[in-house]
Amino acid sequence: MSPEKIKELAELVIERISEKRIGFLWRGSPLRFERAERFAWVHYCIHGSHSVPREKVYHLGGVRDPLSEGGTLDMLVVLDGNAGLMLEVACGVTVSPASMLIEGALRASVPVLYDVSILNKWAAAADSAARDASRRIMETLSSRGAEFIGEAGCGACGIETAAVTKDDSPVTLSGGGWLSWTEISPVVSGRSAVRLAFDTRLTPEASDRLARLNIRVEEVVC
C-alpha cells in the first residue's frame, strides 16, 4: 500500500474515532437525517429495518449484545417510546432487546432522550392512580439520566405563554408531568424564580441547572 493510501486510511480512522455516535431507537422504519460533521447517526429498529444511505441501520433482534451496544453510544434517542419499555427499564426486568439497549446506555451514563408523546392518549384516559404510577416510573428513570419530551398535556413545553415576559418576574411552568432542562431553558434565563403549577415537576438536571443560576423554585398550591 502506498504512503498516500496509508495516510488517507489513517485520516479516515481518526475521523471515525472522533465522531459522536448518536443512536435512535425506532418502532418502525428510520428516517434519513442530514449528515452532520463529527456526528454519526446509528439507527436501531424494533420491527424490521430498512437501508438508509450512508447511515448505520440495525434490526435490534440481530444485535448480539444490546446491553453492551448501548454503552458504545454518546447519546440515545428513544422515538415513540411506549409504557412497556419504560416499565422494563425502571423495574430492571429488561427482557426485550430495546429495553436492554436503553439499560446499557443508562448504565454507561449515556444521556437518554425519551419521547413519550405516544402516551398522550393513554394519559388522558387513565385514572389518577395510573398517572401517579407513570410519574414515579419517569422519576426513577430521570434519576438515572433519562430526559423526557412530548409529555401529555404539556402544551408548549408546559410553559404558560401568558407568563412569558421580558422582565425578571417569575414564570409559571404548567401542564403536569416532568419538564426537562431542554424544555424550560428558553424561558427561564434572567428570571428571579419559576413557579411549578399543580402536578408539574422538574427533572433532577433541570432543578440543578436552576440552582446554579440562583433561580428559586416555587410550588403553586391549587
Side-chain angles (χ1 to χ4, degrees):
M1 184 179 292
S2 67
E4 291 78 12
K5 287 293 184 181
I6 293 175
K7 181 180 179 181
E8 182 181 341
L9 179 60
E11 290 175 349
L12 179 61
V13 170
I14 292 173
E15 178 185 346
R16 294 293 176 83
I17 291 176
S18 64
E19 283 184 335
K20 298 290 186 182
R21 301 181 77 246
I22 311 300
F24 294 87
L25 178 58
W26 303 83
R27 288 193 304 148
S29 302
L31 299 177
R32 182 181 179 277
F33 297 152
E34 290 297 325
R35 176 70 178 172
E37 186 177 357
R38 297 194 180 281
F39 286 91
W41 312 131
V42 187
H43 303 282
Y44 302 95
C45 304
I46 297 175
H47 302 296
S49 63
H50 299 271
S51 176
V52 179
R54 299 188 301 277
E55 295 182 22
K56 297 178 180 178
V57 182
Y58 302 100
H59 182 309
L60 261 179
V63 175
R64 179 174 298 179
D65 187 357
L67 198 64
S68 296
E69 180 73 17
T72 68
L73 302 171
D74 293 287
M75 174 178 282
L76 175 62
V77 182
V78 183
L79 299 161
D80 297 328
N82 60 59
L85 277 179
M86 291 173 60
L87 187 60
E88 285 186 43
V89 179
C91 294
V93 186
T94 51
V95 296
S96 67
S99 63
M100 291 179 187
L101 182 72
I102 299 170
E103 174 65 23
L106 292 174
R107 286 187 185 182
S109 298
V110 172
V112 175
L113 191 60
Y114 202 107
D115 174 22
V116 292
S117 56
I118 197 174
L119 303 177
N120 285 356
K121 184 179 295 186
W122 170 84
D127 57 27
S128 59
R131 287 195 296 270
D132 287 344
S134 177
R135 281 194 290 270
R136 287 195 297 272
I137 290 173
M138 293 174 72
E139 183 177 14
T140 298
L141 295 178
S142 179
S143 68
R144 298 187 61 196
E147 288 197 34
F148 299 92
I149 58 173
E151 295 180 50
C154 283
C157 296
I159 298 167
E160 287 187 357
T161 54
V164 179
T165 60
K166 294 183 179 180
D167 56 32
D168 65 350
S169 60
V171 61
T172 299
L173 309 180
S174 63
W178 292 85
L179 297 178
S180 68
W181 173 249
T182 303
E183 291 172 306
I184 69 171
S185 58
V187 297
V188 301
S189 179
R191 300 287 178 170
S192 60
V194 297
R195 292 172 177 166
L196 299 181
F198 180 69
D199 271 356
T200 301
R201 295 291 180 267
L202 300 174
T203 63
E205 182 193 11
S207 297
D208 182 62
R209 293 289 188 97
L210 290 174
R212 293 181 185 180
L213 293 172
N214 293 319
I215 300 174
R216 69 179 183 278
V217 178
E218 304 172 349
E219 292 192 7
V220 178
V221 179
C222 59

